[in-house]
Amino acid sequence: MRELNSPDAITELVDAFYAKVVADDILAPMFQGMDLPRHKPKIYAYWRKMLLGEHDAYRRNMIARHQALHSRHSLQHQHFQRWLALFLDTVDERFSGTTADRARRLARTITANLETLLRT
């Protein structure tokens, strides 16, 4: 296992995670028609900002993006829980150390906050 402490590690995490997402019965339907290769650099940038402190890496409104997704797909509790489970599994399978721990905590917080915001 390696540390989650570099841009290459972030890319590995995102790529492995989204490979699971697009194969998942619950989450895959939300990604149909999405140009994932074009979208992933934005996700890499988000996680680099959140985990590596690259503040200039991501300058988009993550909440607004998920609100738009929610308007198309009506995100439910099961979607949030499945996203979190797959994310945590991916981190656990590939990474260790303090940044991996921070990624797990952050994923739990993101999940809870997004679900609260979108379900109200």
Side-chain angles (χ1 to χ4, degrees):
M1 296 239 257
R2 65 188 266 194
E3 291 278 335
L4 184 56
N5 61 358
S6 70
D8 287 341
I10 298 289
T11 298
E12 179 184 335
L13 169 66
V14 170
D15 288 347
F17 171 65
Y18 275 92
K20 291 179 182 188
V21 166
V22 298
D24 186 76
D25 291 340
I26 294 171
L27 297 179
M30 285 177 252
F31 292 87
Q32 290 178 343
M34 179 185 282
D35 185 354
L36 200 52
R38 194 173 128 234
H39 183 62
K40 282 205 279 187
K42 296 169 186 130
I43 302 167
Y44 303 146
Y46 175 80
W47 286 105
R48 285 194 325 266
K49 175 182 179 179
M50 300 307 288
L51 297 175
L52 304 179
E54 294 181 13
H55 295 287
D56 291 336
Y58 185 86
R59 293 191 176 268
R60 298 170 59 104
N61 185 333
M62 185 264 293
I63 294 171
R65 303 288 175 203
H66 287 85
Q67 286 171 324
L69 175 64
H70 180 59
S71 71
R72 292 189 309 271
H73 292 287
S74 186
L75 300 174
Q76 302 297 314
H77 180 72
Q78 70 174 350
H79 298 116
F80 293 102
Q81 292 308 301
R82 188 66 180 151
W83 181 94
L84 180 59
L86 292 177
F87 187 88
L88 295 177
D89 287 348
T90 305
V91 173
D92 291 345
E93 291 166 2
R94 295 171 176 268
F95 300 100
S96 62
T98 57
T99 307
D101 293 340
R102 190 166 66 245
R104 288 182 199 93
R105 284 190 308 272
L106 184 56
R108 287 182 182 99
T109 301
I110 290 167
T111 302
N113 289 345
L114 274 177
E115 185 169 10
T116 298
L117 277 167
L118 297 179
R119 305 281 298 144
T120 55

